[in-house]
Amino acid sequence: MSDRILPYLPEYYQEFLEFKELDQTEDIELDQLETAVQQLFDDQFVMRASLQAIKRRELMLGIQANPTTETIDFRRQRILNRYQTKPPFTVRWLQEQLDRLVGQGMTIVSVDVDNFILYVTTNIENANVFREVQHTIQTIKPANMVYQQNTSLNDVIDLKERIVKQDITWNYKLDGSWKLGEKPFATLGTEVLIK
């Protein structure tokens, strides 16, 4: 923006070159100040925060980030996850929290009430996300419950159906004329494909 200061000065200053140059210099500084104020405002929100603000929040929460393997989006999501782990906790709340952290449908939370076991079945390939899931569960899990991690695989099973017929000849009769182990109990014929 130009001419931010000059219009506020008396008219006779607007004719001097020095004041025009001073106005341009102050415009640059005011633009920088405006950018810094906007960044300070953005840093108050995790999803819009700068890298420096993310690092400061991680330090406050005791998180040791690894920038080489963790994306900035994952780091933001982890900070939000840590802020949102406040009681009261329910199975539904944990399911929703894990869906936000890992992805919809990637985890299933269930409880065996009689045996005090919390089951979490996950399909996670990213080790950083897995560690954050572990941290979340260990933080909110009641002390009287045992946490059981189950792993699921997202794979496709191909089934082929065929029907075969095979004749069976029984080698022993129930008349007492046979000796145990002399022959096999039955002899199998060849398989014939029906369908």
Side-chain angles (χ1 to χ4, degrees):
M1 261 178 121
S2 62
D3 294 337
R4 282 178 142 177
I5 302 296
L6 204 53
Y8 294 103
L9 297 176
E11 285 186 31
Y12 57 86
Y13 285 122
Q14 295 178 10
E15 302 297 325
F16 296 106
L17 181 62
E18 290 86 1
F19 283 101
K20 290 180 182 177
E21 293 296 323
L22 185 61
D23 181 55
Q24 289 177 0
T25 304
E26 288 179 355
D27 282 346
I28 294 169
E29 290 185 21
L30 288 173
D31 286 341
Q32 291 173 349
L33 177 65
E34 188 176 291
T35 303
V37 168
Q38 183 61 43
Q39 187 60 56
L40 182 66
F41 179 73
D42 288 345
D43 285 347
Q44 304 306 309
F45 304 96
V46 175
M47 296 310 286
R48 295 191 326 216
S50 65
L51 184 59
Q52 182 181 2
I54 294 293
K55 287 179 183 179
R56 184 175 63 245
R57 287 177 191 264
E58 287 173 337
L59 184 64
M60 289 170 25
L61 291 169
I63 299 171
Q64 294 205 353
N66 186 354
T68 59
T69 61
E70 298 171 351
T71 64
I72 190 72
D73 290 332
F74 170 73
R75 290 169 70 182
R76 286 185 170 131
Q77 197 65 28
R78 178 172 49 196
I79 289 170
L80 285 176
N81 181 56
R82 299 284 174 98
Y83 283 153
Q84 293 170 348
T85 52
K86 305 288 183 230
F89 303 119
T90 61
V91 172
R92 181 184 300 157
W93 178 89
L94 180 59
Q95 181 69 58
E96 290 171 358
Q97 190 72 8
L98 294 179
D99 284 345
R100 278 193 295 274
L101 186 63
V102 179
Q104 192 73 25
M106 299 294 285
T107 60
I108 299 171
V109 178
S110 60
V111 176
D112 182 355
V113 178
D114 295 333
N115 297 318
F116 299 100
I117 300 175
L118 172 66
Y119 292 104
V120 178
T121 305
T122 60
N123 181 13
I124 302 173
E125 295 179 6
N126 187 337
N128 297 324
V129 175
F130 183 77
R131 279 193 296 272
E132 188 59 24
V133 167
Q134 296 287 93
H135 177 271
T136 302
I137 292 169
Q138 293 299 339
T139 302
I140 65 136
K141 177 187 72 71
N144 66 337
M145 294 193 86
V146 175
Y147 164 54
Q148 177 67 48
Q149 171 66 40
N150 295 328
T151 303
S152 69
L153 300 174
N154 189 10
D155 206 353
V156 176
I157 298 175
D158 188 22
L159 295 176
K160 293 182 180 178
E161 180 182 4
R162 67 186 188 112
I163 300 174
V164 295
K165 175 184 168 190
Q166 188 174 28
D167 291 328
I168 300 174
T169 306
W170 298 99
N171 296 324
Y172 292 108
K173 307 281 187 234
L174 293 177
D175 59 4
S177 62
W178 53 274
K179 292 183 181 174
L180 184 63
E182 191 174 274
K183 295 190 246 177
F185 283 109
T187 305
L188 301 176
T190 58
E191 289 185 354
V192 178
L193 183 63
I194 296 176
K195 183 178 174 186

